[in-house]
Amino acid sequence: MRKAVFWDLQGTLVSDPGGPLTDCEVYPFAWDALGLTHRAGYLNIIVTNQSQIAKGLLTEEAYQQAEREILSQLNRSGVLVDAVLHCPHGRWENCRCKKPRTGMLEECQARYGLDMAQCWVVGDMGSSDM
């Protein structure tokens, strides 16, 4: 079975300007952190809540473009991000994928054959990331 680190995106790997994802910048330490976990044999998986989509403040297409740009920056430095999953729902939708619920993690467990006892979650908001 495999192991993974689940990374939050905004506020953890990239800045959280409080506005559009397109305004985020990759934190300088993100490359080192992702590189360390990759070299230690962990999959690097980003799991992010994107409720701005549900609120109509961000389109799915704009989110996908911002995600591609962020991944391009991270992978340009040789960092391997194995997957990115996002929840586009608002709290009021009561979905199973919105963190801190475990839907995105369960999807990765099934997809990658993860031993969840060997996985970690890294985020900036304990109440909503873990």
Side-chain angles (χ1 to χ4, degrees):
M1 297 202 74
R2 302 171 83 184
K3 56 187 181 178
V5 175
F6 296 102
W7 298 91
D8 175 49
L9 184 60
Q10 290 167 269
T12 303
L13 295 175
V14 302
S15 63
D16 189 357
L21 183 64
T22 54
D23 292 343
C24 293
E25 296 180 17
V26 175
Y27 286 134
F29 56 79
W31 289 282
D32 289 338
L34 291 166
L36 285 169
T37 53
H38 175 71
R39 287 188 299 277
Y42 288 86
L43 296 175
N44 283 315
I45 301 173
I46 296 172
V47 290
T48 179
N49 289 338
Q50 293 296 322
S51 60
Q52 288 187 341
I53 296 170
K55 295 174 184 173
L57 302 172
L58 181 69
T59 66
E60 181 69 32
E61 293 77 21
Y63 165 78
Q64 294 293 334
Q65 179 60 35
E67 177 186 298
R68 282 190 296 274
E69 290 173 18
I70 290 168
L71 286 176
S72 174
Q73 290 178 47
L74 291 173
N75 290 331
R76 193 174 324 139
S77 297
V79 172
L80 179 61
V81 175
D82 297 285
V84 180
L85 286 82
H86 74 282
C87 171
H89 305 110
R91 278 192 194 103
W92 65 92
E93 296 180 83
N94 203 26
C95 69
R96 62 185 281 280
C97 60
K98 188 160 191 71
K99 297 182 299 177
R101 292 189 174 141
T102 59
M104 289 188 281
L105 281 68
E106 292 168 7
E107 181 179 333
C108 289
Q109 180 183 23
R111 185 186 304 177
Y112 297 106
L114 299 176
D115 175 0
M116 297 307 276
Q118 297 296 314
C119 295
W120 301 91
V121 176
V122 179
D124 64 320
M125 302 291 290
S127 62
S128 61
D129 286 331
M130 298 173 252

